[in-house]
Amino acid sequence: MATDNQENSIGLKQVWSWLISFVICTAKDAKKLGEEDPRRVIHSFKVGLAITLVSLFYYFDFSYQGFGVNAMWAVMTVVVVFEFSVGATLGKGVNRAIATLLGGGLGVAAHRLASFAGEKIECVILGMSVFFIASAVTFCRFFPKMKARFDYGLLIFILTFCLITVSGYRDDEVIDMAQRRLSTILIGGCATVFICMLICPVWAGEDLHKYTASSIEKLSIFLEGFGRAYFQVSNEKNQENNVASLDQYKTVLNSKGIEDSLVNFAKWEPRHGKFRYRQPWDQYLKIGSLSRECAYKIDAINSYLNSDAQTPVEIQKKIQEPCTKMSTECSYALRELAMGIKTMTCSLSADIHIVNAKASAKKLKSMLKNGRPEIDLLEIIPTFTVASLLIEVVSCTVKIADCVHELGSKSKFKSPDPVKMKKQTS
């Protein structure tokens, strides 16, 4: 007995210690998440507030008598529709409202038409209608444009139509049921949208704007330190720490999914802040695509930073000046473009840096064409590859600048202050 008690005590202590460590780790993770983005904490309280408010329809007798058990659909709507950003919430809310209305209306119509055929044929007609509608709408979900913006609505349409059609076979009060369900869903959706928009709103368009500028800035950070890191890495081993700090651009390589979702959400949002109703959100996708193209070029260049291939010092010194000039000028241009996007101001100094980068690229091209044929090609291929990639980075920078200027024209960015421009140039 004593041995059993000791074993039970040891087991309880192990469980208790595991529970304590789990709580501590969870608290640390929660603190980290809150510090990374405090809006997450606010969003959690907003969801809790919305669910509490719509739950009152179920708690109070006068509202419960009007809606009955269907009052729970308001709570379910809040849980399903409430998203982090206003655009995502509006997109889901509108999809759910329209899909519920259309699905419920079509379900009631199918039920009425089937009821005229008699009890024996009614179930056959209802089954056939469910089969054809569900199959057709499911196939529509495979269309890219439909899936991007209306996938949730199509899913809710199928669910509502099937629920109304199937349940209407056993329940004669199908119209009252559909009306109550639609009313509670609209109440939950409206409460969700109002709380999401009025209490510390998170705008997907604003996040997309900042994310695009941040991606361009990360490219500039790499290019700014690349010249020193590449041409000195073989002589100074202490440059390894600096090279490690240039890896921020790698987040740009996988930015497509984030940009696509933010653009999709931003298109649902009304006019807010500096962003107009018909903001050219697709232009941000073009900038993001060009930024990823530049990031892939930079990723290829980055692979040569720690390469073991030895290039003759004579060749390195010969191309060091134009290569460093190109990377530095492109870095300055991209930084100016990122700052222009952040402040929604047309950047004029970026064009100056691009002209300088083009001049260095032209100079480097002439050097590569007039290379000495007696040098071993295997020794110079890595350096010449880096030089060629830098020339392509200049071309990408030009494309990004043109796309940003187009965004500024469509979004009506402000013109820069000429007084500040004179101070910067002087």
mmCIF file of all heavy atoms in Angstrom, residues 206-235:
data_model
loop_
_atom_site.group_PDB
_atom_site.id
_atom_site.type_symbol
_atom_site.label_atom_id
_atom_site.label_comp_id
_atom_site.label_asym_id
_atom_site.label_seq_id
_atom_site.Cartn_x
_atom_site.Cartn_y
_atom_site.Cartn_z
ATOM 1 N N GLU A 206 -4.278 49.120 -45.640
ATOM 2 C CA GLU A 206 -3.144 49.772 -44.981
ATOM 3 C C GLU A 206 -2.016 48.784 -44.724
ATOM 4 O O GLU A 206 -0.830 49.117 -44.903
ATOM 5 C CB GLU A 206 -3.619 50.395 -43.670
ATOM 6 C CG GLU A 206 -2.574 51.231 -42.952
ATOM 7 C CD GLU A 206 -3.114 51.901 -41.707
ATOM 8 O OE1 GLU A 206 -4.356 51.878 -41.517
ATOM 9 O OE2 GLU A 206 -2.309 52.431 -40.924
ATOM 10 N N ASP A 207 -2.358 47.567 -44.312
ATOM 11 C CA ASP A 207 -1.333 46.538 -44.102
ATOM 12 C C ASP A 207 -0.630 46.188 -45.416
ATOM 13 O O ASP A 207 0.595 45.997 -45.439
ATOM 14 C CB ASP A 207 -1.965 45.281 -43.509
ATOM 15 C CG ASP A 207 -2.337 45.460 -42.053
ATOM 16 O OD1 ASP A 207 -1.908 46.461 -41.450
ATOM 17 O OD2 ASP A 207 -3.069 44.605 -41.517
ATOM 18 N N LEU A 208 -1.391 46.113 -46.508
ATOM 19 C CA LEU A 208 -0.794 45.832 -47.813
ATOM 20 C C LEU A 208 0.148 46.947 -48.228
ATOM 21 O O LEU A 208 1.236 46.687 -48.757
ATOM 22 C CB LEU A 208 -1.900 45.661 -48.851
ATOM 23 C CG LEU A 208 -1.442 45.515 -50.307
ATOM 24 C CD1 LEU A 208 -0.667 44.218 -50.498
ATOM 25 C CD2 LEU A 208 -2.655 45.540 -51.253
ATOM 26 N N HIS A 209 -0.255 48.181 -47.989
ATOM 27 C CA HIS A 209 0.575 49.344 -48.335
ATOM 28 C C HIS A 209 1.910 49.291 -47.588
ATOM 29 O O HIS A 209 2.976 49.465 -48.190
ATOM 30 C CB HIS A 209 -0.202 50.609 -47.969
ATOM 31 C CG HIS A 209 0.390 51.865 -48.501
ATOM 32 N ND1 HIS A 209 0.220 52.278 -49.810
ATOM 33 C CD2 HIS A 209 1.172 52.807 -47.913
ATOM 34 C CE1 HIS A 209 0.856 53.419 -49.990
ATOM 35 N NE2 HIS A 209 1.438 53.756 -48.858
ATOM 36 N N LYS A 210 1.842 49.035 -46.296
ATOM 37 C CA LYS A 210 3.068 48.963 -45.490
ATOM 38 C C LYS A 210 3.913 47.745 -45.868
ATOM 39 O O LYS A 210 5.151 47.820 -45.883
ATOM 40 C CB LYS A 210 2.708 48.912 -44.005
ATOM 41 C CG LYS A 210 2.058 50.179 -43.484
ATOM 42 C CD LYS A 210 1.694 50.029 -42.016
ATOM 43 C CE LYS A 210 1.039 51.295 -41.474
ATOM 44 N NZ LYS A 210 0.635 51.145 -40.056
ATOM 45 N N TYR A 211 3.252 46.634 -46.158
ATOM 46 C CA TYR A 211 3.971 45.405 -46.500
ATOM 47 C C TYR A 211 4.738 45.566 -47.812
ATOM 48 O O TYR A 211 5.879 45.105 -47.932
ATOM 49 C CB TYR A 211 2.980 44.250 -46.606
ATOM 50 C CG TYR A 211 3.621 42.899 -46.789
ATOM 51 C CD1 TYR A 211 4.126 42.192 -45.706
ATOM 52 C CD2 TYR A 211 3.728 42.326 -48.055
ATOM 53 C CE1 TYR A 211 4.709 40.952 -45.867
ATOM 54 C CE2 TYR A 211 4.317 41.083 -48.227
ATOM 55 C CZ TYR A 211 4.799 40.400 -47.131
ATOM 56 O OH TYR A 211 5.397 39.175 -47.300
ATOM 57 N N THR A 212 4.135 46.240 -48.793
ATOM 58 C CA THR A 212 4.808 46.472 -50.069
ATOM 59 C C THR A 212 6.041 47.350 -49.885
ATOM 60 O O THR A 212 7.110 47.058 -50.440
ATOM 61 C CB THR A 212 3.828 47.137 -51.057
ATOM 62 O OG1 THR A 212 2.675 46.307 -51.207
ATOM 63 C CG2 THR A 212 4.484 47.338 -52.414
ATOM 64 N N ALA A 213 5.899 48.415 -49.103
ATOM 65 C CA ALA A 213 7.042 49.289 -48.847
ATOM 66 C C ALA A 213 8.135 48.549 -48.076
ATOM 67 O O ALA A 213 9.334 48.712 -48.360
ATOM 68 C CB ALA A 213 6.589 50.520 -48.063
ATOM 69 N N SER A 214 7.740 47.710 -47.125
ATOM 70 C CA SER A 214 8.716 46.954 -46.339
ATOM 71 C C SER A 214 9.487 45.961 -47.214
ATOM 72 O O SER A 214 10.703 45.775 -47.030
ATOM 73 C CB SER A 214 8.011 46.228 -45.204
ATOM 74 O OG SER A 214 8.907 45.414 -44.475
ATOM 75 N N SER A 215 8.807 45.333 -48.170
ATOM 76 C CA SER A 215 9.486 44.375 -49.057
ATOM 77 C C SER A 215 10.554 45.067 -49.898
ATOM 78 O O SER A 215 11.667 44.548 -50.055
ATOM 79 C CB SER A 215 8.459 43.695 -49.972
ATOM 80 O OG SER A 215 7.526 42.945 -49.214
ATOM 81 N N ILE A 216 10.229 46.232 -50.436
ATOM 82 C CA ILE A 216 11.207 46.978 -51.240
ATOM 83 C C ILE A 216 12.372 47.418 -50.372
ATOM 84 O O ILE A 216 13.533 47.375 -50.792
ATOM 85 C CB ILE A 216 10.522 48.181 -51.906
ATOM 86 C CG1 ILE A 216 9.442 47.702 -52.881
ATOM 87 C CG2 ILE A 216 11.537 49.051 -52.634
ATOM 88 C CD1 ILE A 216 8.654 48.814 -53.517
ATOM 89 N N GLU A 217 12.073 47.808 -49.146
ATOM 90 C CA GLU A 217 13.143 48.260 -48.244
ATOM 91 C C GLU A 217 14.096 47.117 -47.887
ATOM 92 O O GLU A 217 15.300 47.330 -47.749
ATOM 93 C CB GLU A 217 12.517 48.846 -46.990
ATOM 94 C CG GLU A 217 13.518 49.588 -46.107
ATOM 95 C CD GLU A 217 12.839 50.326 -44.976
ATOM 96 O OE1 GLU A 217 11.619 50.147 -44.783
ATOM 97 O OE2 GLU A 217 13.534 51.078 -44.276
ATOM 98 N N LYS A 218 13.573 45.913 -47.750
ATOM 99 C CA LYS A 218 14.428 44.766 -47.446
ATOM 100 C C LYS A 218 15.393 44.477 -48.592
ATOM 101 O O LYS A 218 16.542 44.070 -48.356
ATOM 102 C CB LYS A 218 13.569 43.539 -47.148
ATOM 103 C CG LYS A 218 12.828 43.629 -45.835
ATOM 104 C CD LYS A 218 11.890 42.455 -45.627
ATOM 105 C CE LYS A 218 11.129 42.585 -44.327
ATOM 106 N NZ LYS A 218 10.159 41.477 -44.114
ATOM 107 N N LEU A 219 14.951 44.686 -49.826
ATOM 108 C CA LEU A 219 15.858 44.520 -50.967
ATOM 109 C C LEU A 219 16.967 45.548 -50.924
ATOM 110 O O LEU A 219 18.130 45.242 -51.229
ATOM 111 C CB LEU A 219 15.065 44.654 -52.274
ATOM 112 C CG LEU A 219 13.907 43.670 -52.496
ATOM 113 C CD1 LEU A 219 13.237 43.957 -53.832
ATOM 114 C CD2 LEU A 219 14.384 42.233 -52.442
ATOM 115 N N SER A 220 16.620 46.760 -50.536
ATOM 116 C CA SER A 220 17.638 47.828 -50.486
ATOM 117 C C SER A 220 18.675 47.560 -49.404
ATOM 118 O O SER A 220 19.849 47.906 -49.562
ATOM 119 C CB SER A 220 16.958 49.178 -50.242
ATOM 120 O OG SER A 220 16.438 49.264 -48.934
ATOM 121 N N ILE A 221 18.259 46.928 -48.308
ATOM 122 C CA ILE A 221 19.199 46.636 -47.219
ATOM 123 C C ILE A 221 20.290 45.678 -47.691
ATOM 124 O O ILE A 221 21.477 45.850 -47.372
ATOM 125 C CB ILE A 221 18.439 46.064 -46.009
ATOM 126 C CG1 ILE A 221 17.550 47.142 -45.384
ATOM 127 C CG2 ILE A 221 19.415 45.515 -44.968
ATOM 128 C CD1 ILE A 221 16.653 46.625 -44.280
ATOM 129 N N PHE A 222 19.892 44.668 -48.458
ATOM 130 C CA PHE A 222 20.889 43.730 -48.972
ATOM 131 C C PHE A 222 21.845 44.415 -49.942
ATOM 132 O O PHE A 222 23.070 44.271 -49.842
ATOM 133 C CB PHE A 222 20.204 42.555 -49.660
ATOM 134 C CG PHE A 222 21.166 41.571 -50.271
ATOM 135 C CD1 PHE A 222 21.654 40.515 -49.522
ATOM 136 C CD2 PHE A 222 21.610 41.717 -51.578
ATOM 137 C CE1 PHE A 222 22.554 39.614 -50.079
ATOM 138 C CE2 PHE A 222 22.500 40.820 -52.137
ATOM 139 C CZ PHE A 222 22.983 39.769 -51.388
ATOM 140 N N LEU A 223 21.296 45.144 -50.885
ATOM 141 C CA LEU A 223 22.129 45.765 -51.913
ATOM 142 C C LEU A 223 23.061 46.815 -51.331
ATOM 143 O O LEU A 223 24.153 47.033 -51.847
ATOM 144 C CB LEU A 223 21.246 46.402 -52.988
ATOM 145 C CG LEU A 223 20.440 45.413 -53.835
ATOM 146 C CD1 LEU A 223 19.465 46.149 -54.735
ATOM 147 C CD2 LEU A 223 21.373 44.533 -54.659
ATOM 148 N N GLU A 224 22.643 47.441 -50.239
ATOM 149 C CA GLU A 224 23.488 48.482 -49.635
ATOM 150 C C GLU A 224 24.785 47.904 -49.081
ATOM 151 O O GLU A 224 25.850 48.521 -49.187
ATOM 152 C CB GLU A 224 22.715 49.183 -48.521
ATOM 153 C CG GLU A 224 23.462 50.359 -47.911
ATOM 154 C CD GLU A 224 22.642 51.061 -46.851
ATOM 155 O OE1 GLU A 224 21.542 50.566 -46.514
ATOM 156 O OE2 GLU A 224 23.097 52.112 -46.352
ATOM 157 N N GLY A 225 24.715 46.713 -48.502
ATOM 158 C CA GLY A 225 25.923 46.140 -47.914
ATOM 159 C C GLY A 225 26.570 45.059 -48.752
ATOM 160 O O GLY A 225 27.582 44.480 -48.337
ATOM 161 N N PHE A 226 26.021 44.788 -49.949
ATOM 162 C CA PHE A 226 26.560 43.685 -50.733
ATOM 163 C C PHE A 226 27.958 43.977 -51.255
ATOM 164 O O PHE A 226 28.837 43.106 -51.215
ATOM 165 C CB PHE A 226 25.635 43.380 -51.907
ATOM 166 C CG PHE A 226 26.255 42.433 -52.905
ATOM 167 C CD1 PHE A 226 26.372 41.097 -52.626
ATOM 168 C CD2 PHE A 226 26.767 42.912 -54.106
ATOM 169 C CE1 PHE A 226 26.958 40.226 -53.520
ATOM 170 C CE2 PHE A 226 27.360 42.052 -55.011
ATOM 171 C CZ PHE A 226 27.458 40.704 -54.723
ATOM 172 N N GLY A 227 28.183 45.190 -51.758
ATOM 173 C CA GLY A 227 29.481 45.508 -52.358
ATOM 174 C C GLY A 227 30.621 45.294 -51.387
ATOM 175 O O GLY A 227 31.620 44.624 -51.708
ATOM 176 N N ARG A 228 30.481 45.807 -50.171
ATOM 177 C CA ARG A 228 31.535 45.637 -49.154
ATOM 178 C C ARG A 228 31.674 44.171 -48.751
ATOM 179 O O ARG A 228 32.782 43.654 -48.585
ATOM 180 C CB ARG A 228 31.214 46.488 -47.928
ATOM 181 C CG ARG A 228 31.203 47.982 -48.189
ATOM 182 C CD ARG A 228 31.044 48.763 -46.888
ATOM 183 N NE ARG A 228 29.812 48.405 -46.207
ATOM 184 C CZ ARG A 228 28.654 49.013 -46.415
ATOM 185 N NH1 ARG A 228 28.581 49.993 -47.305
ATOM 186 N NH2 ARG A 228 27.575 48.659 -45.753
ATOM 187 N N ALA A 229 30.533 43.487 -48.611
ATOM 188 C CA ALA A 229 30.580 42.095 -48.150
ATOM 189 C C ALA A 229 31.216 41.181 -49.195
ATOM 190 O O ALA A 229 31.987 40.276 -48.851
ATOM 191 C CB ALA A 229 29.169 41.612 -47.820
ATOM 192 N N TYR A 230 30.924 41.409 -50.466
ATOM 193 C CA TYR A 230 31.421 40.506 -51.507
ATOM 194 C C TYR A 230 32.904 40.713 -51.791
ATOM 195 O O TYR A 230 33.677 39.762 -51.872
ATOM 196 C CB TYR A 230 30.616 40.685 -52.790
ATOM 197 C CG TYR A 230 31.087 39.787 -53.909
ATOM 198 C CD1 TYR A 230 30.838 38.423 -53.884
ATOM 199 C CD2 TYR A 230 31.804 40.305 -54.983
ATOM 200 C CE1 TYR A 230 31.279 37.587 -54.900
ATOM 201 C CE2 TYR A 230 32.249 39.484 -56.007
ATOM 202 C CZ TYR A 230 31.983 38.124 -55.959
ATOM 203 O OH TYR A 230 32.433 37.321 -56.961
ATOM 204 N N PHE A 231 33.329 41.926 -51.927
ATOM 205 C CA PHE A 231 34.711 42.177 -52.327
ATOM 206 C C PHE A 231 35.680 42.159 -51.164
ATOM 207 O O PHE A 231 36.881 42.242 -51.370
ATOM 208 C CB PHE A 231 34.804 43.525 -53.049
ATOM 209 C CG PHE A 231 34.146 43.514 -54.397
ATOM 210 C CD1 PHE A 231 32.912 44.101 -54.583
ATOM 211 C CD2 PHE A 231 34.750 42.892 -55.473
ATOM 212 C CE1 PHE A 231 32.296 44.087 -55.824
ATOM 213 C CE2 PHE A 231 34.136 42.862 -56.710
ATOM 214 C CZ PHE A 231 32.908 43.467 -56.891
ATOM 215 N N GLN A 232 35.187 42.021 -49.934
ATOM 216 C CA GLN A 232 36.077 41.958 -48.783
ATOM 217 C C GLN A 232 35.945 40.652 -48.026
ATOM 218 O O GLN A 232 36.713 40.410 -47.110
ATOM 219 C CB GLN A 232 35.788 43.122 -47.819
ATOM 220 C CG GLN A 232 36.034 44.490 -48.439
ATOM 221 C CD GLN A 232 35.668 45.610 -47.482
ATOM 222 O OE1 GLN A 232 35.410 45.373 -46.314
ATOM 223 N NE2 GLN A 232 35.659 46.834 -47.978
ATOM 224 N N VAL A 233 34.994 39.795 -48.376
ATOM 225 C CA VAL A 233 34.760 38.583 -47.603
ATOM 226 C C VAL A 233 35.935 37.626 -47.656
ATOM 227 O O VAL A 233 36.199 36.890 -46.705
ATOM 228 C CB VAL A 233 33.486 37.884 -48.098
ATOM 229 C CG1 VAL A 233 33.686 37.312 -49.497
ATOM 230 C CG2 VAL A 233 33.063 36.791 -47.140
ATOM 231 N N SER A 234 36.694 37.641 -48.745
ATOM 232 C CA SER A 234 37.826 36.721 -48.854
ATOM 233 C C SER A 234 39.011 37.196 -48.040
ATOM 234 O O SER A 234 39.909 36.423 -47.740
ATOM 235 C CB SER A 234 38.257 36.596 -50.326
ATOM 236 O OG SER A 234 38.610 37.872 -50.839
ATOM 237 N N ASN A 235 39.034 38.470 -47.654
ATOM 238 C CA ASN A 235 40.171 39.012 -46.913
ATOM 239 C C ASN A 235 39.838 39.269 -45.446
ATOM 240 O O ASN A 235 40.717 39.242 -44.601
ATOM 241 C CB ASN A 235 40.645 40.326 -47.555
ATOM 242 C CG ASN A 235 41.150 40.107 -48.972
ATOM 243 O OD1 ASN A 235 41.739 39.073 -49.265
ATOM 244 N ND2 ASN A 235 40.893 41.065 -49.855
#
